[in-house]
Amino acid sequence: MAQTIPDLPILAEDDSMLSRRFGREVANYFSGSPLNRVSFLRTDYGFLHAAYSHPAAAFLLMDNLSPLAKDAANLSYVTRDIVVPLTGEEPFKKPEPEQVKEFNSAITQPVILFLGIDEKTTGFEYREYRGKPYFAVDVTPKGTIAEKARSIIDIVKASGVSFIDGRRLLTLNAPEAAIFAEARALLDWNARNPFCGGCGQPTMSINAGWKRVCPPSDLAGIPEGGAPKERPDCPTRHGISNLCFPRTDPTVIMAVVSADGTKLLLGRNKRFPPNWYSTLAGFLEPGESIEEAVRRETWEESGVTVGRVVIHSSQPWPYPANLMIGAIGQAAPGGETIHLGHDEELTDAKWFSFDEVREGLANGVSGLGDPAPSGYREGALRLPPQTAIANQLIQAVIKGYIDTAPKI
């Protein structure tokens, strides 16, 4: 059975000069979080301690990047008493320097990720900041905390909720999809970086999951009360290191229109079901502008030469940590011949008339693994759902984006 496609985030009404000039901002799935991240407070352990300890705090549990949920559309949160057996009563009581000094690589520390505060809900206050604190906790059974993690998993499952597959989760309601995206991307980054990229030694999570450091000493193997063992010097301990902070990988994704503005270029790979096509996409490379990446990727994958490129919108994509930068490009006159021989990533690419695309949007939209919807005509074009920025780009073209005032 096909899953229900959730609605997109709803932005507040905006009558600014920019909106009047360029149109309303486009909000894509996984954006539009209801939380204020207050990122500047992640280093304030007084704030983190107060937020974690407050009875209003909500905790999202993640097991192997799969979130605890009531159903496919709604996450399920637990209270502090559920996670304390794993995290301890006061995980943020000691400041960062003291925690780093007590680092012991032989003891597994659960990642506690501060997500932000929901300012629409009152209760918690810290200085001028008010709202409901949200955390995510990694309860994946591993290392020295495996048994405690399994116990928590068993307890919450017994209450009637479950962990839903987080590998390609596109069914959550829009606000909670944004919360999940933040949690998944950050917990995945922490899990992928247990060792330092500068020296190869074990790292530890600090700043409520938003930074990893390479401590200068380690208590592993040291008798209780003994002095920690000094570790070799590491370049990440000097100055600001991009190895210590989460990364986001930019990806361009583009709807390419024919030179005469009547057709849309779409492609497919071997994973797609029959007649299912999407916009082209590829990673932005170092030393390359967004516009250049659109032109390069389109030519490499399809052989089509693109001229003008306009940025449309963006979408956070937590698989694992991409930022999809949506663009609309127009093929250069004489550059529309399709040639798949440069890069064999695509199995097919075609120019579709706008009428064919309109029919696909009306009757052929579905998730990648879902059957064709009711009303679909066999052999007609199938397209990705609105939870994918590809759908937004396709709709923008069909609704006259290239005929209106230029967008930022």
Side-chain angles (χ1 to χ4, degrees), residues 29-51:
Y29 194 66
F30 291 129
S31 67
S33 175
L35 305 183
N36 181 347
R37 297 192 182 193
V38 286
S39 62
F40 49 88
L41 292 177
R42 294 169 190 155
T43 57
D44 185 339
Y45 277 62
F47 164 77
L48 294 174
H49 176 66

Side-chain angles (χ1 to χ4, degrees), residues 146-286:
E147 288 305 315
K148 291 179 180 178
R150 289 191 190 98
S151 177
I152 289 176
I153 290 172
D154 291 341
I155 288 171
V156 295
K157 283 184 175 179
S159 68
V161 292
S162 61
F163 292 89
I164 57 176
D165 192 341
R167 286 175 294 180
R168 289 285 176 180
L169 183 53
L170 295 166
T171 57
L172 292 170
N173 67 74
E176 295 200 325
I179 293 175
F180 162 72
E182 179 185 359
R184 190 195 191 283
L186 266 294
L187 292 181
D188 182 72
W189 172 75
N190 275 277
R192 288 173 186 263
N193 291 274
F195 299 101
C196 178
C199 67
Q201 300 176 97
T203 58
M204 69 176 293
S205 176
I206 61 169
N207 294 358
W210 288 87
K211 183 179 179 181
R212 295 195 72 89
V213 295
C214 182
S217 61
D218 193 346
L219 285 168
I222 304 298
E224 187 174 352
K229 179 175 60 178
E230 295 298 315
R231 305 205 301 185
D233 190 29
C234 176
T236 65
R237 299 186 202 130
H238 306 284
I240 298 176
S241 170
N242 63 357
L243 299 177
C244 300
F245 295 95
R247 63 177 293 162
T248 296
D249 298 318
T251 303
V252 292
I253 180 167
M254 45 280 182
V256 176
V257 183
S258 60
D260 64 2
T262 64
K263 297 183 291 294
L264 185 64
L265 177 67
L266 299 173
R268 55 177 282 108
N269 62 39
K270 60 184 179 182
R271 296 185 302 111
F272 291 0
N275 304 308
W276 208 90
Y277 284 75
S278 186
T279 54
L280 277 56
F283 284 104
L284 181 73
E285 294 188 344

Side-chain angles (χ1 to χ4, degrees), residues 291-310:
E291 293 84 355
E292 289 171 324
V294 167
R295 297 185 185 104
R296 176 184 56 78
E297 283 287 347
T298 301
W299 180 81
E300 289 180 354
E301 292 187 0
S302 71
V304 171
T305 302
V306 172
R308 181 73 166 97
V309 174
V310 177

Side-chain angles (χ1 to χ4, degrees), residues 53-64:
S53 303
H54 198 273
F59 297 84
L60 174 64
L61 305 185
M62 301 275 284
D63 177 17
N64 279 313

Side-chain angles (χ1 to χ4, degrees), residues 5 137 152 158 204 315:
I5 298 175
V137 179
I152 289 176
M204 69 176 293
Q315 178 182 35

Side-chain angles (χ1 to χ4, degrees), residues 86-125:
L86 180 68
T87 65
E89 287 282 349
E90 300 175 305
F92 298 110
K93 182 178 181 180
K94 295 180 180 179
E96 176 188 325
E98 197 170 336
Q99 292 192 21
V100 173
K101 186 178 179 180
E102 296 177 355
F103 174 66
N104 186 332
S105 62
I107 299 176
T108 308
Q109 293 294 337
V111 176
I112 309 168
L113 176 66
F114 173 65
L115 298 171
I117 55 175
D118 183 352
E119 296 171 309
K120 297 187 296 296
T121 305
T122 58
F124 172 71
E125 294 186 17

